[in-house]
């Protein structure tokens, strides 16, 4: 009996050591790695690499007027993604209104026909229609 108990006790210690070693390795891999920038980046160029995040917060040491002027200059230097045209707005509203009236007309015809089968001429699914 003593040999069996010694064998089990030795096996338990070995298992604990292996588990401890594995846990240490896993914890080491979870720590963040420090990164250094080894690139020559010029001001105004597009950053193509991983995001850089400062390890601490820092204040903007500028007067309010200078900061607002720089923000406005940055807004003016960005090209607009959409062009605001009033004619396009009106066309969109008219097309939606015409489709809305078409949908109401189709629904009214479907209700008036009193048929058991549903004819769905729209893009809607049958349960939605």
């Amino acid at each position: 009996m003593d040999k069996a108990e010694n064998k089990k006790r030795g096996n338990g210690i070995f298992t604990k050591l292996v588990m401890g070693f594995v846990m240490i390795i896993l914890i080491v891999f979870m720590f963040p790695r420090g990164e250094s920038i080894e690139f020559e980046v010029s001001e105004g160029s597009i950053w193509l690499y991983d995001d850089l995040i400062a390890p601490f917060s820092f204040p903007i040491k500028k007067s309010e007027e200078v900061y607002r002027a720089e923000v406005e200059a940055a807004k003016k230097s960005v090209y607009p993604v959409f062009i605001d045209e009033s004619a396009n707005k009106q066309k969109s509203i008219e097309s939606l209104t015409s489709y809305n009236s078409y949908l109401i007309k189709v629904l009214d015809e479907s209700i008036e026909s009193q048929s058991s089968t549903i004819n769905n001429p729209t893009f809607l699914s049958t349960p939605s229609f």
Side-chain angles (χ1 to χ4, degrees):
M1 282 281 197
D2 287 333
K3 291 181 183 179
E5 287 179 14
N6 286 340
K7 202 171 199 181
K8 285 183 184 177
R9 193 175 305 149
N11 191 12
I13 291 173
F14 178 73
T15 304
K16 289 177 185 177
L17 287 174
V18 169
M19 287 176 55
F21 183 71
V22 168
M23 290 301 291
I24 289 171
I25 297 295
L26 288 174
I27 290 171
V28 166
F29 280 122
M30 284 191 246
F31 280 114
R33 291 180 210 89
E35 294 184 24
S36 62
I37 301 175
E38 299 174 4
F39 305 104
E40 196 62 39
V41 181
S42 62
E43 185 177 333
S45 64
I46 297 173
W47 183 257
L48 300 174
Y49 308 102
D50 291 337
D51 290 344
L52 293 177
I53 300 172
F56 53 88
S57 60
F58 50 90
I60 299 174
K61 295 183 178 182
K62 294 181 181 181
S63 67
E64 189 72 23
E65 296 83 27
V66 172
Y67 175 73
R68 295 275 181 228
E70 287 181 358
V71 168
E72 289 302 318
K75 285 181 184 178
K76 290 177 183 175
S77 69
V78 175
Y79 294 113
V81 177
F82 300 103
I83 298 172
D84 186 23
E85 293 185 16
S86 299
N88 289 344
K89 290 179 190 176
Q90 191 60 33
K91 287 179 185 176
S92 297
I93 291 171
E94 288 171 2
S95 68
L96 290 173
T97 306
S98 65
Y99 185 75
N100 190 19
S101 62
Y102 168 73
L103 187 59
I104 290 172
K105 183 182 92 173
V106 168
L107 288 172
D108 287 342
E109 289 173 0
S110 175
I111 291 171
E112 289 172 359
S113 69
Q114 297 290 333
S115 65
S116 60
T117 60
I118 296 175
N119 183 17
N120 180 8
T122 65
F123 66 90
L124 299 171
S125 65
T126 303
S128 297
F129 179 72

